Amino acid sequence: MRVGVLSILLFAVVAFLSLEVEVAKAYLHGKTRALIDYANKHGPYLGIVIPNLYEMDPLIKHPSYKASNLVIDFQGRRFRFGTVDNRKAILVMTGLGVINAGITTQLLLALFDVNSVVHYGIAGNANSSLSVGDVTIAQYWAHTGLWNWQRYGAGPEDKLALEENGDYTRTIGFIKFAEYTKLSGGCKSADNYLNNVWYQPEEVFPIDGTPEDRQHAFWVPIDPHYYKLSKKLLGLKLDGCINTTTCLKRTPKVALVKRGVSSSTYLDNAAYRSFIFDKFGPTPVDMESASVALICLQQRKPFVIIRSLSDLAGGGSAESNEADTFSILAANNSVKVVVEFIKSLPK
């Protein structure tokens, strides 16, 4: 008898939850779905993906941007519709880090008729030959936050756990923590229980591939045509002053660079900056761009990434190195380059 009562109660709870889900689906289908369908009838759009509001604000205030009355809120994201230089665009803020950037870009491309993506913002700098305020367009992006952390005692000659299954690889390389141990007392050698971290490529499942049949990608190239168009931006005049009293010693410039890297880590450490530059040769280091690149790769969408340098990661430059000081200037310069890039696109 007790089992029968429990079964009835369980059935009632499941039925109630199912009803709630169906009501929610009906609401989405009736209201949000109608707005999405309306938007897509007027597409396609240029998707503009932006990490934070202070990086979005200069674009919203730019005279080339005209906002429409259409705004769609979905899954915690706000999709703003308008035009940039009379080109239809959707602006969306991702929030901090690679997970937020990946989720937002996936939603953008899954929900809306988007033919290409522009991602922009500020970044740290790992390349001491460039300076604060410079705007970079990297040809390749990699996510350097997927690691296989090797157990203590194992070395480069030892296979990684699950490497034989094809899950992990030693081809990209590693950082050995003991090489960054500060020695004292005349000691000439040191060990470190943190051992080695091996960098790994991401698993990629392209929309035109076989479901569950994984591919791998580490360096993801931006669209080659967009990279070629970016050369027209060299020589663009950028801002070098925050106000009448705070200016950079050198006028910023647009620079086409080979590589950029991302991970969900705010990099403000000179030792790791030196390692990452010696190992991978990036200029911009940030927390979102590689996610945007990987999602666009999976979705087969052309994209470009424009990042303005706000600081030399970890310090060491002659002038003020605080991102707090120059982040607004860097954001303004990135928007200036983004607008000029969009103007160069065929209408």
Side-chain angles (χ1 to χ4, degrees):
M1 184 66 179
R2 184 176 297 172
V3 174
V5 172
L6 288 174
S7 298
I8 293 171
L9 288 173
L10 180 61
F11 176 79
V13 170
V14 172
F16 175 77
L17 292 176
S18 299
L19 179 61
E20 289 292 302
V21 171
E22 290 305 316
V23 169
K25 285 182 178 178
Y27 177 77
L28 279 176
H29 180 76
K31 187 175 181 180
T32 306
R33 185 75 256 175
L35 288 174
I36 293 171
D37 290 342
Y38 172 82
N40 287 333
K41 288 179 181 177
H42 296 80
Y45 299 92
L46 174 67
I48 303 179
V49 180
I50 310 152
N52 293 296
L53 286 176
Y54 75 87
E55 293 159 307
M56 179 187 290
D57 191 54
L59 179 57
I60 291 176
K61 294 179 178 177
H62 197 279
S64 291
Y65 177 69
K66 307 297 181 187
S68 75
N69 293 324
L70 181 60
V71 175
I72 299 177
D73 293 339
F74 184 75
Q75 297 290 309
R77 267 66 182 179
R78 173 161 291 177
F79 299 91
R80 306 166 185 259
F81 291 76
T83 60
V84 179
D85 192 49
N86 295 318
R87 291 161 175 82
K88 296 178 182 179
I90 306 174
L91 277 59
V92 61
M93 188 200 82
T94 67
L96 193 69
V98 295
I99 292 177
N100 276 323
I103 290 171
T104 306
T105 307
Q106 179 66 41
L107 283 172
L108 171 72
L109 299 182
L111 293 173
F112 301 106
D113 183 8
V114 172
N115 54 16
S116 59
V117 172
V118 173
H119 176 57
Y120 78 88
I122 68 171
N125 176 24
N127 182 354
S128 59
S129 67
L130 293 179
S131 301
V132 170
D134 290 345
V135 178
T136 63
I137 302 172
Q139 190 174 8
Y140 296 92
W141 280 89
H143 177 220
T144 53
L146 183 58
W147 295 352
N148 185 310
W149 206 317
Q150 201 169 24
R151 71 171 59 184
Y152 180 71
E157 70 283 354
D158 297 304
K159 288 186 178 181
L160 303 177
L162 303 180
E163 184 178 1
E164 291 185 348
N165 296 339
D167 292 339
Y168 300 103
T169 177
R170 288 173 292 163
T171 59
I172 296 172
F174 67 100
I175 179 172
K176 184 177 180 64
F177 286 99
E179 294 177 355
Y180 295 88
T181 299
K182 188 175 181 180
L183 304 177
S184 60
C187 181
K188 295 183 179 180
S189 63
D191 206 349
N192 194 306
Y193 286 119
L194 294 177
N195 203 19
N196 306 319
V197 161
W198 292 83
Y199 293 87
Q200 301 298 315
E202 286 284 355
E203 291 185 349
V204 179
F205 300 89
I207 59 170
D208 54 1
T210 303
E212 300 181 352
D213 185 9
R214 63 181 177 177
Q215 300 178 20
H216 290 89
F218 189 70
W219 292 112
V220 181
I222 68 170
D223 182 77
H225 177 62
Y226 286 176
Y227 190 73
K228 185 176 180 180
L229 280 179
S230 300
K231 295 179 181 179
K232 297 180 180 180
L233 304 175
L234 299 176
L236 181 66
K237 186 177 180 181
L238 301 176
D239 296 331
C241 294
I242 299 172
N243 49 45
T244 57
T245 60
T246 306
C247 293
L248 296 167
K249 294 181 179 180
R250 179 180 68 75
T251 302
K253 63 182 180 180
V254 178
L256 272 62
V257 298
K258 196 69 175 178
R259 297 183 177 93
V261 297
S262 306
S263 66
S264 283
T265 305
Y266 184 88
L267 178 54
D268 195 24
N269 181 277
Y272 189 71
R273 179 195 76 212
S274 297
F275 165 79
I276 209 82
F277 183 76
D278 292 340
K279 183 66 182 176
F280 299 116
T283 297
V285 290
D286 67 28
M287 302 174 71
E288 296 86 21
S289 294
S291 279
V292 177
L294 284 160
I295 296 299
C296 288
L297 172 66
Q298 293 189 141
Q299 297 295 314
R300 302 305 194 203
K301 295 290 183 180
F303 71 96
V304 68
I305 295 173
I306 298 170
R307 286 282 186 160
S308 182
L309 306 177
S310 63
D311 63 289
L312 181 64
S317 61
E319 53 196 341
S320 174
N321 189 58
E322 295 301 321
D324 292 342
T325 303
F326 293 108
S327 59
I328 299 301
L329 182 146
N332 289 336
N333 279 346
S334 67
V335 167
K336 183 172 287 190
V337 175
V338 164
V339 170
E340 291 304 313
F341 174 81
I342 292 173
K343 287 181 179 179
S344 71
L345 296 174
K347 292 187 178 180

